Amino acid sequence: MEDDELLIEEDEALKQFLPQGFGKQTKEANVAAQIERTRRPTANLIKDVQEHQDSEKDSEEGNESDSDDQSDEEDEYPISHELVLKTHDRGITTLTVDPAGARMVSGSTDCTLKFHDFSSMTPTSLRAFKSVDPTATKASASSETHPIHLVQFNPNSPSQLLVISATTQAKILSRDGETLTEFQKGDMYLRDMHNTKGHVSEITTGTWHPVDKNLCVTAGTDSTLRIWDVNMKRCQKDVIVHRSRVAGSAGRTRMTSVVWGSPVQGGPCLLVAAALDGSLAMWSGDGPYTRPVAEIRDAHKRDTWTGGIAISADGRTVVTRGGDDTVKLWDTRKFKQPVSTAEHPSTSGQYPTSNICFAPNSTAILTGSQSGHLHILNPATLKPEVVTPVTSGSALVTVHWHEKLNQILTGSANAEIHILYNPSTSSRGAAMVMSRAPKRRHIDDDPNLTTDMSEGISGDSIVNPNGLLTSNPRHPTIGLTASGKSRDPRRPHIPMTTPFAKSQPDELHVKNNIPLSSMRDEDPREALLKYAEKAEKDPMFTNAWKHTQPKTIYAELSEDEEEGPNKKKVKKG
């Protein structure tokens, strides 16, 4: 019988088509394959730039790099894999992650803040769970919006967010996007900036106090730094007026960047700020602020925007990225001349929020470039150790290295957020997202096909080819012109809703509930004459003298008087 048995070849297509079992099937994710798909194609091409340059100049040094060296670089810097988020419509200007590494908030020139929660993301649902416009005051389409300059979690109280937009008032938001505090606006007609209760012109940047959770500082174009207490929003706690020494500036300039640092080993805090006139000033972080402890007048070229400034963890070195295409390293103990200077193309002319930052352990300095490359610099010599492309052809605006996640977050001008990580050294964050099973696509994942519970129905899910253009509740300006009028001539103009119109009742309510409200539409003469006959027969005020009232006697007119007075004769010329 064994010789008569037929040998049937296995058909892989048929094997995959037929079910392997019955009942509920559980789909397990191939985590290794998902993570491998996020491996950066340029990770194997990353080299130590300085060693490559030295090998060209000096033939004695070896120019070869082993695979072990490349693996060591990948382990030292978490840049082997990346996760890309596309949640904004315009360039990214700022990024922040809470100290626990669970929530990320990004700001953009599209005037919105996007809230991302790593615990709710999957490889197929990489989106923000909330979008907030911090400067929106009313729901009308003509309301003003402003780009976001800075958003930063409070390092000592993660439930608070410092939000600075292109206005004169900074805000404190909760981690869910609700406004907690809005600081006071100053009087622009006062000349002495010490007497104003807030900024009188646009705020450029700010930061939190490194130790005190209630204090933050903001820098404005009114040549002042203002220290605020989150519990006192009506007036700042301290005012630092930076006086420019440039001739013809009237002692004023624009503050472009500020950093507030505290040594890890303990000691006094330092407050360092840069200005548009090229100066760099340092104050004692705990006061007094009457005059700076040290000041460098020509730290960078005059009238260039120094948008990036950072202080090391030990509080001894400060790095600045100026608009004069240079990166300079300063020693806070000898705050006179730069320790190191390196050439680096600036992007602050087009993107004023271009920043620079230290690694968590201050062993490296990170910054972006106009070409979209991430530069990791040596903290002593400012020479590039690693240069890797992130968004080729689009400027890399903001960078951030999170200590707990051990991941590098970058924001680019093409509205992309890249999270660089290493599966072996990084924890949570992007590594946790890619280790989850992909979520099956559901109809609720498409916001155009879901119902907005606040509206009752979804206007996006109703398709009417011959219907009028309607505004999207998520994007109130769709289908409207800049003045708020409809682009469709068939649709009538909807009047703008103002705070006063919301409290005014309609005509039907006034007519039914307010007595005598119809008197506004009556003729007063007719309204009085309809009571003439009643007043004559039954007078209300003279009823007591009805029977004793004498009769009215009128004078009798003669024939001459009946004709009336003589008219003046018109003289003929």
Side-chain angles (χ1 to χ4, degrees):
M1 294 291 295
E2 295 180 358
D3 298 336
D4 298 337
E5 289 180 357
L6 297 178
L7 297 177
I8 302 176
E9 297 181 359
E10 294 183 358
D11 192 352
E12 292 296 334
L14 181 62
K15 187 176 180 180
Q16 294 179 1
F17 174 77
L18 295 175
Q20 301 295 327
F22 298 95
K24 185 177 180 180
Q25 303 293 325
T26 60
K27 184 178 180 181
E28 297 181 357
N30 190 351
V31 178
Q34 289 181 170
I35 295 178
E36 187 62 26
R37 283 197 296 268
T38 62
R39 178 178 289 275
R40 304 178 65 232
T42 59
N44 297 327
L45 301 178
I46 297 173
K47 296 181 180 180
D48 190 340
V49 177
Q50 185 58 33
E51 288 183 3
H52 182 68
Q53 293 177 355
D54 293 343
S55 64
E56 293 180 353
K57 296 180 181 179
D58 193 354
S59 59
E60 294 180 359
E61 297 180 0
N63 57 354
E64 65 219 2
S65 60
D66 300 331
S67 60
D68 296 340
D69 296 339
Q70 293 181 0
S71 62
D72 292 342
E73 289 180 1
E74 293 181 5
D75 294 339
E76 183 180 1
Y77 306 114
I79 53 178
S80 60
H81 297 68
E82 70 176 347
L83 181 67
V84 183
L85 302 178
K86 299 179 182 179
T87 55
H88 283 279
D89 298 330
R90 295 183 181 178
I92 309 296
T93 56
T94 178
L95 285 170
T96 184
V97 182
D98 64 343
R103 181 161 296 182
M104 178 184 67
V105 183
S106 59
S108 171
T109 54
D110 60 5
C111 310
T112 59
L113 293 174
K114 300 291 185 180
F115 289 75
H116 308 79
D117 199 346
F118 290 117
S119 60
S120 62
M121 287 186 184
T122 62
T124 56
S125 60
L126 301 175
R127 58 176 178 267
F129 72 90
K130 192 171 186 179
S131 178
V132 176
D133 186 353
T135 59
T137 56
K138 51 189 176 181
S140 62
S142 59
S143 61
E144 294 184 358
T145 56
H146 303 274
I148 310 298
H149 287 335
L150 175 85
V151 56
Q152 189 178 52
F153 271 103
N154 190 338
N156 303 300
S157 178
S159 60
Q160 296 176 336
L161 273 168
L162 174 62
V163 179
I164 294 177
S165 55
T167 59
T168 58
Q169 296 174 275
K171 288 187 177 183
I172 304 296
L173 269 62
S174 67
R175 62 184 290 112
D176 295 326
E178 299 176 357
T179 302
L180 301 178
T181 304
E182 184 176 8
F183 295 125
Q184 184 70 19
K185 178 182 177 180
D187 189 351
M188 67 179 67
Y189 297 103
L190 294 179
R191 178 64 180 173
D192 190 358
M193 291 293 101
H194 291 92
N195 298 329
T196 60
K197 297 182 179 180
H199 287 281
V200 299
S201 58
E202 179 184 345
I203 304 177
T204 56
T205 185
T207 186
W208 287 99
H209 193 281
V211 179
D212 193 344
K213 66 178 182 180
N214 295 322
L215 297 182
C216 63
V217 62
T218 57
T221 56
D222 54 0
S223 191
T224 62
L225 300 175
R226 299 181 186 266
I227 300 175
W228 303 86
D229 191 334
V230 296
N231 301 316
M232 297 186 301
K233 64 179 181 179
R234 295 191 176 274
C235 184
Q236 69 272 343
K237 183 179 179 182
D238 288 295
V239 182
I240 305 174
V241 179
H242 180 68
R243 301 191 180 278
S244 177
R245 308 295 180 88
V246 179
S249 63
R252 289 194 178 187
T253 184
R254 298 181 180 182
M255 308 306 294
T256 58
S257 57
V258 64
V259 64
W260 209 342
S262 175
V264 179
Q265 299 86 357
C269 300
L270 293 177
L271 184 63
V272 187
L276 187 65
D277 60 355
S279 61
L280 190 66
M282 180 174 63
W283 294 267
S284 175
D286 300 326
Y289 307 106
T290 53
R291 57 183 302 175
V293 177
E295 183 179 1
I296 306 172
R297 296 186 182 181
D298 299 325
H300 287 277
K301 188 178 179 181
R302 187 184 304 173
D303 295 332
T304 59
W305 195 274
T306 305
I309 186 171
I311 189 168
S312 61
D314 56 4
R316 296 181 179 179
T317 56
V318 174
V319 62
T320 57
R321 182 185 177 188
D324 53 357
D325 298 336
T326 60
V327 174
K328 296 184 179 181
L329 193 68
W330 311 86
D331 192 342
T332 57
R333 296 164 295 182
K334 297 180 181 180
F335 207 64
K336 294 182 179 180
Q337 296 294 331
V339 178
S340 301
T341 303
E343 297 290 333
H344 187 80
S346 174
T347 58
S348 59
Q350 187 176 2
Y351 307 101
T353 58
S354 301
N355 70 335
I356 191 170
C357 69
F358 276 94
N361 52 4
S362 299
T363 57
I365 298 175
L366 278 72
T367 186
S369 65
Q370 183 69 34
S371 59
H373 287 69
L374 174 65
H375 293 249
I376 302 179
L377 310 178
N378 188 299
T381 61
L382 295 181
K383 295 180 180 179
E385 294 184 351
V386 174
V387 178
T388 175
V390 178
T391 54
S392 299
S394 182
L396 203 63
V397 180
T398 178
V399 295
H400 177 67
W401 192 336
H402 194 272
E403 179 179 6
K404 192 168 185 179
L405 298 180
N406 192 25
Q407 299 174 15
I408 301 175
L409 297 90
T410 65
S412 305
N414 61 354
E416 290 184 358
I417 300 175
H418 290 246
I419 305 177
L420 308 182
Y421 70 99
N422 191 328
S424 58
T425 59
S426 302
S427 62
R428 303 174 64 180
M432 180 179 62
V433 172
M434 296 310 299
S435 62
R436 291 197 182 100
K439 183 180 179 182
R440 181 175 297 179
R441 188 67 177 176
H442 193 267
I443 190 173
D444 292 341
D445 294 336
D446 190 355
N448 297 323
L449 303 176
T450 56
T451 301
D452 191 351
M453 298 304 294
S454 62
E455 299 293 336
I457 61 172
S458 175
D460 297 336
S461 61
I462 301 175
V463 180
N464 186 5
N466 298 322
L468 304 180
L469 294 177
T470 58
S471 60
N472 192 335
R474 295 180 179 84
H475 301 281
T477 58
I478 292 180
L480 302 176
T481 60
S483 60
K485 296 182 180 180
S486 175
R487 298 183 186 276
D488 195 334
R490 299 174 295 173
R491 184 181 182 185
H493 172 61
I494 301 176
M496 182 177 63
T497 303
T498 63
F500 302 98
K502 292 181 180 178
S503 60
Q504 289 181 352
D506 56 356
E507 183 180 357
L508 182 61
H509 176 80
V510 172
K511 185 177 181 181
N512 296 336
N513 297 279
I514 300 179
L516 304 179
S517 60
S518 60
M519 293 178 60
R520 299 181 303 173
D521 303 328
E522 293 181 349
D523 186 4
R525 184 174 181 276
E526 295 180 358
L528 291 174
L529 289 178
K530 70 180 181 180
Y531 296 102
E533 185 178 357
K534 182 179 179 181
E536 184 179 357
K537 294 180 180 180
D538 188 13
M540 182 182 298
F541 301 102
T542 61
N543 196 18
W545 299 277
K546 182 177 181 181
H547 301 287
T548 60
Q549 184 74 15
K551 294 183 180 180
T552 304
I553 300 175
Y554 297 101
E556 296 181 358
L557 300 176
S558 61
E559 295 180 357
D560 297 336
E561 293 176 344
E562 288 179 355
E563 295 178 359
N566 295 330
K567 297 181 180 180
K568 295 182 179 181
K569 296 182 180 180
V570 181
K571 297 181 180 181
K572 296 180 180 180

